[in-house]
Amino acid sequence: MLVESFGNDGMIFLIAFLLLSGIVAAKFSSRLGLPSLVLFIAVGMAVGSDGLGIIYFDNVEIAQFIGILALIIILFEGGLQAKWKTIRSVAAPSISLATAGVFFTALITGSAVYLILDVTWLEALLFGAIVGSTDAAAVFATLKERNIKAKMGATLEAESGTNDPMAVFLTIMFIELIISDDSSLWMLIPSFFWQMGVGLVLGLAIGKLAYKAINKINLESSGLYPILAISFAFVTYSAASFIDASGFLAVYVAALVIGNSELTYRYSIFQFNEGVAWTAQIMMFIILGLLAFPEQVFQLSNIVAGLLISLVLIFIARPIAVFLSTIRMKYTFKEKIFISWAGLRGAVPIVLATFPIVAGIEGAEEFFNIIFFVVLTSALIQGATISNVASRLGLMGPVKDTPHHSIELISIAKANAEVVQFQTNRDNYVVGMKLHEIEFPTKSSIAAIVRGDELVTPYGDTEIKEGDFLYILVSKKYHSQLMKVLNKKKDQAK
């Protein structure tokens, strides 16, 4: 049965079926110890023409569009969740990995491809560029529920969030060099600095505009604030792409600015974007799974070539790139080994593999099939063993403590007030103090304290403890004063 024979009701059922299948796959992925992207792709391949035959899909342009749309959403959600204090401490190595690291990976992998496949040097380097970057969707999803040390997680997430521009630039550059006799390497290099520089500046500018708009605009419904936030992600990408800057970099930077600012309806915005990102991830990998035909991907020649290239990528190219990119940076040998191992490939290489097909390069379909196999190999070998490798290297961090509760007021924006959520730590001045001893600013009061799974009713003699989630109702006018009190350190009080 093909998708063309479905009516409107059938199409709605099919979309529901794919989403439910993705959710079930995500549930079982943690039990099986596999990255969820592997099972999402498996769902797509299962319902495709070489599987159950429910859907026949071979439209590369549509797959490319869905992939880019999903990556915008995923990068935006990843940037929102990233903590600037942690990202700032690993900014230099992350940028080095996102630029020099991708270049070295592409060069070494491309050299191996030239020896393994019957292709020209430019075609081999194009292959290396396509698989040169780590994937934000794969890295964010894989690290989200794993207790990797904050420094390692921040490095990998910042790298994967910012290395797409380099991979896109190299991919487009080699495509132009292959199909056009007039293209010159030296003419294309300035465009890279334009893409990176303008993408960064535009992301910062729109990010600041976005959080000010979210806080200042009074909307009729609280449900509109998350939609307003994600709308800025698409505006950012479109604005950057319109002037030939890096849309992906701009989106991630804008999200960093928004996520690390004080927001009205912060919890709702974060929860909404997390749900949308999961939906985008499920649909993207299922679509990419549909685009791949198992009979072609798993041909013996593709399997042999894919395995050889994967081994070079995982055990030679990525480690060399990491060690070269982090010279004289404060990473131990074990940390560099882990960063090398956790360089997952995912949706980005598959989406980039559609570019040569759209450009009409001869043999691009074979490239796509081999790259698809390389991504699966990376996800299965590296993604399934990240926790074990981190544990053996002594790089596991504390159990993540994420609040699953929220207190928000329906008319908070119109009331010119907000509820601030703040988690205490051992260094906070207020820890160990009773509420009546703390000099909170005017027009602020603690609405609730959540301690573990217990809701503590706040009284004057209630003592603040480490790890408490404080929910404080405060007038927006006194917000900055409140944050100064909450963020005050014990050593500053002496």
Side-chain angles (χ1 to χ4, degrees):
M1 179 168 53
L2 298 178
V3 71
E4 287 83 354
S5 63
F6 279 48
N8 291 335
D9 294 340
M11 286 298 297
I12 292 172
F13 172 78
L14 184 60
I15 293 171
F17 170 77
L18 292 177
L19 287 174
L20 287 171
S21 299
I23 292 169
V24 172
K27 178 67 176 178
F28 280 98
S29 67
S30 58
R31 293 186 180 183
L32 296 174
L34 294 173
S36 53
L37 71 91
V38 174
L39 297 183
F40 297 156
I41 289 175
V43 170
M45 298 176 79
V47 301
S49 57
D50 284 353
L52 300 175
I54 297 175
I55 303 174
Y56 180 86
F57 181 80
D58 63 354
N59 194 312
V60 177
E61 288 83 0
I62 291 178
Q64 188 180 102
F65 173 75
I66 292 174
I68 292 172
L69 195 68
L71 286 172
I72 293 170
I73 295 170
I74 293 165
L75 279 170
F76 187 71
E77 194 269 339
L80 285 179
Q81 299 287 350
K83 303 296 183 185
W84 173 240
K85 289 183 179 179
T86 308
I87 293 293
R88 182 173 56 187
S89 65
V90 297
S94 297
I95 293 172
S96 181
L97 287 166
T99 51
V102 173
F103 176 79
F104 289 132
T105 303
L107 182 63
I108 298 169
T109 306
S111 301
V113 170
Y114 180 76
L115 297 175
I116 295 169
L117 301 177
D118 184 20
V119 294
T120 66
W121 264 110
L122 282 178
E123 291 170 341
L125 291 173
L126 171 61
F127 190 111
I130 291 172
V131 299
S133 69
T134 59
D135 181 64
V139 171
F140 291 167
T142 303
L143 296 182
K144 184 169 290 186
E145 299 301 329
R146 288 170 168 80
N147 301 318
I148 309 299
K149 277 191 175 180
K151 180 183 177 182
M152 296 293 94
T155 302
L156 292 165
E157 290 186 3
E159 176 200 4
S160 64
T162 56
N163 66 5
D164 293 340
M166 186 66 171
V168 172
F169 167 76
L170 291 175
T171 298
I172 294 175
M173 181 184 75
F174 286 122
I175 288 176
E176 290 188 10
L177 291 173
I178 290 170
I179 65 177
S180 176
D181 296 330
D182 298 330
S183 297
S184 168
L185 177 62
W186 303 111
M187 292 175 60
L188 295 172
I189 288 177
S191 69
F192 168 73
F193 292 99
W194 170 268
Q195 289 181 37
M196 294 289 284
V198 177
L200 175 63
V201 172
L202 199 62
L204 289 170
I206 297 181
K208 290 182 179 180
L209 173 65
Y211 87 78
K212 287 182 180 179
I214 292 169
N215 287 338
K216 295 292 184 182
I217 297 175
N218 289 333
L219 298 175
E220 294 301 318
S221 171
S222 61
L224 293 175
Y225 286 92
I227 299 174
L228 176 62
I230 201 170
S231 297
F232 276 104
F234 298 118
V235 168
T236 304
Y237 180 87
S238 301
S241 299
F242 183 74
I243 56 176
D244 294 325
S246 173
F248 290 135
L249 178 61
V251 168
Y252 186 74
V253 172
L256 271 176
V257 174
I258 297 169
N260 286 275
S261 305
E262 296 299 328
L263 293 174
T264 299
Y265 292 106
R266 181 184 187 85
Y267 183 84
S268 297
I269 290 171
F270 276 48
Q271 289 295 96
F272 173 84
N273 278 279
E274 184 177 12
V276 173
W278 269 109
T279 303
Q281 188 179 160
I282 290 171
M283 295 306 296
M284 174 179 64
F285 283 117
I286 288 178
I287 291 294
L288 295 177
L290 286 170
L291 190 63
F293 291 79
E295 286 186 0
Q296 299 174 14
V297 173
F298 297 111
Q299 287 181 4
L300 181 60
S301 59
N302 289 341
I303 292 175
V304 173
L307 281 174
L308 290 174
I309 294 170
S310 294
L311 292 174
V312 171
L313 178 62
I314 295 171
F315 294 102
I316 300 176
R318 171 68 178 178
I320 290 176
V322 168
F323 275 78
L324 288 176
S325 302
T326 55
I327 290 175
R328 294 184 179 180
M329 295 184 184
K330 297 179 180 179
Y331 287 87
T332 65
F333 179 79
K334 288 184 177 180
E335 288 174 338
K336 291 180 181 180
I337 290 294
F338 179 73
I339 294 172
S340 301
W341 188 255
L344 298 178
R345 270 60 192 173
V348 171
I350 300 176
V351 172
L352 290 181
T354 64
F355 283 35
I357 299 176
V358 174
I361 293 178
E362 185 178 354
E365 290 80 5
E366 181 185 4
F367 266 32
F368 178 86
N369 292 325
I370 297 175
I371 288 168
F372 194 94
F373 186 85
V374 168
V375 169
L376 286 179
T377 304
S378 171
L380 286 169
I381 295 177
Q382 296 170 279
T385 57
I386 279 184
S387 293
N388 289 333
V389 172
S391 179
R392 288 180 178 274
L393 293 174
L395 298 175
M396 295 296 287
V399 177
K400 295 180 180 179
D401 188 8
T402 304
H404 298 287
H405 34 75
S406 171
I407 300 177
E408 291 185 338
L409 303 181
I410 295 174
S411 59
I412 194 168
K414 293 185 174 65
N416 198 33
E418 59 186 313
V419 173
V420 173
Q421 174 186 283
F422 182 84
Q423 185 181 20
T424 61
N425 60 61
R426 67 178 66 181
D427 297 324
N428 290 130
Y429 172 65
V430 297
V431 172
M433 298 180 67
K434 295 181 179 180
L435 290 181
H436 70 83
E437 298 173 337
I438 304 172
E439 295 182 359
F440 286 117
T442 306
K443 295 185 179 180
S444 65
S445 61
I446 292 190
I449 300 174
V450 177
R451 185 171 295 156
D453 294 327
E454 180 185 359
L455 178 64
V456 178
T457 303
Y459 295 100
D461 289 332
T462 303
E463 181 179 325
I464 303 297
K465 296 185 178 180
E466 179 186 347
D468 283 354
F469 283 96
L470 310 180
Y471 291 89
I472 306 172
L473 178 63
V474 62
S475 170
K476 289 183 178 180
K477 181 180 179 180
Y478 298 99
H479 178 272
S480 59
Q481 287 183 242
L482 173 64
M483 296 312 298
K484 287 181 181 178
V485 173
L486 295 175
N487 287 312
K488 189 176 182 181
K489 303 299 181 184
K490 289 183 178 179
D491 55 359
Q492 295 174 337
K494 296 179 181 179

